[in-house]
Structures are given as structure tokens and as C-alpha cells.
Amino acid sequence: MIRSMTGYGRAEGRKNGVALTVDLRSVNHRYCDIVVKLPRQFFPLEETIKKQINQHVTRGHLELFVNVNGSSETGYNLDLDSARAYYLILKKLKDRLQLSGEVSLSHLIQFKEVIAPVEPADFTETESSLLKTVLDKAIHSLDKTRLREGSALSKEMVARIQ
């Protein structure tokens, strides 16, 4: 069977409240060039992911995109101690400079420490094993589209030769 280097694969998976989506796209390229776009917590797995793809694909420019939902705690941290400290400093500044108006919430949220996004934790074993499984499915999906494309190209070439 003839495989084209052009294809697209997508797979989704869910385990223990974690949902992953993997998109894999390939186009013609002389060598095997793999570009991986991951959420920050998966950065340590980049080389493992490339090796997993290389076991199935030897040529082409491949782009991999991973989206994760429901993993490690997400949201924001509220630092009330910092908010109080900033409030007192702003109130003192207002009084000393004899400024009008009141110190408000809109003033306090200007400081990054008061409300800060929670950095995702490192990947868990659940996320790691789920990623491996979903990536295998995406690679299989990619291979199916490459086989379909290769078959269509083959038929086209035979028709042109005849």
C-alpha cells in the first residue's frame, strides 16, 4: 500500500476527569520533522512523544497539538494579605498627598499578587498514560488518512499513465 505524506489525525480521550484532545497533521517533507505544541505541564514529555510518533512515521513535517481539560487544579489564587497591604499603602498615600476619592477594588486588582492565575501542576500518571493512549489513536487516524490519500494518488497516476 502506498502512503501519502499528507494527512490528518485526531483523537480524544477521557480518564478520571481529565479530557485530552490530540491533533496530528502531516505534510510532505524530505526528513522527519516533528513540531510539538503542548500545555506547559507536558513539556517534560516532548521527547517521549516524538519517539512515539517516530515509531510509526519516518518522513514528513508533522505538527502535534495537545489540549487538556480538567487536569490539575486550575483557576486563580486570591492573596488577601497582599490585598490588605496594598490597600493600607494606597490609603496612606491618598491621605499623605491629600487626594480625593476612595481606594477601591479596581485599584487593588491592578497588582498581580492580589489575584494570580494558578500555574498548572506537573502532569500526573493518569494524564501521562492517557496522552500515550490518545496519541496512539491519533497516529492510527493519521495513518488511515495517509493511506486513503496514497491510494487516491496511486489511482490518479495509473490513470494518467494509461
Side-chain angles (χ1 to χ4, degrees):
M1 288 191 229
I2 298 174
R3 280 181 178 81
S4 165
M5 278 191 261
T6 302
Y8 176 77
R10 179 184 180 97
E12 298 175 352
R14 186 176 285 281
K15 185 176 182 182
N16 297 340
V18 177
L20 278 178
T21 303
V22 173
D23 291 286
L24 189 57
R25 178 175 59 196
S26 73
V27 294
N28 190 12
H29 193 274
R30 187 175 182 182
Y31 304 103
C32 188
D33 176 37
I34 302 171
V35 176
V36 179
K37 309 272 177 142
L38 300 169
R40 182 176 299 182
Q41 72 260 35
F42 288 112
F43 283 177
L45 297 175
E46 184 172 349
E47 286 307 310
T48 304
I49 291 168
K50 286 182 178 182
K51 286 177 185 172
Q52 187 174 344
I53 294 170
N54 260 331
Q55 290 174 350
H56 303 278
V57 180
T58 56
R59 276 188 69 194
H61 173 78
L62 290 100
E63 291 181 341
L64 172 87
F65 300 91
V66 175
N67 281 323
V68 60
N69 292 311
S71 65
S72 317
E73 182 183 337
T74 58
Y76 294 88
N77 278 332
L78 174 61
D79 186 343
L80 287 175
D81 291 334
S82 291
R84 276 189 200 96
Y86 282 123
Y87 175 80
L88 294 173
I89 290 169
L90 291 173
K91 190 163 173 42
K92 189 180 218 179
L93 181 64
K94 177 190 133 350
D95 292 342
R96 288 227 174 123
L97 296 177
Q98 299 176 347
L99 299 172
S100 62
E102 293 297 317
V103 176
S104 69
L105 179 61
S106 62
H107 296 118
L108 295 176
I109 63 173
Q110 301 295 319
F111 301 100
K112 291 186 223 177
E113 299 86 3
V114 174
I115 300 176
V118 173
E119 286 293 321
D122 291 339
F123 62 90
T124 64
E125 189 56 42
T126 297
E127 292 169 331
S128 179
S129 69
L130 179 60
L131 178 57
K132 183 180 183 335
T133 302
V134 175
L135 179 55
D136 275 338
K137 290 178 184 176
I139 292 168
H140 180 71
S141 176
L142 171 72
D143 197 42
K144 286 167 84 174
T145 63
R146 290 175 70 199
L147 282 169
R148 249 191 332 265
E149 180 74 18
S151 177
L153 285 172
S154 177
K155 288 177 185 173
E156 177 70 24
M157 288 172 64
V158 168
R160 287 179 183 234
I161 289 171
Q162 292 174 347

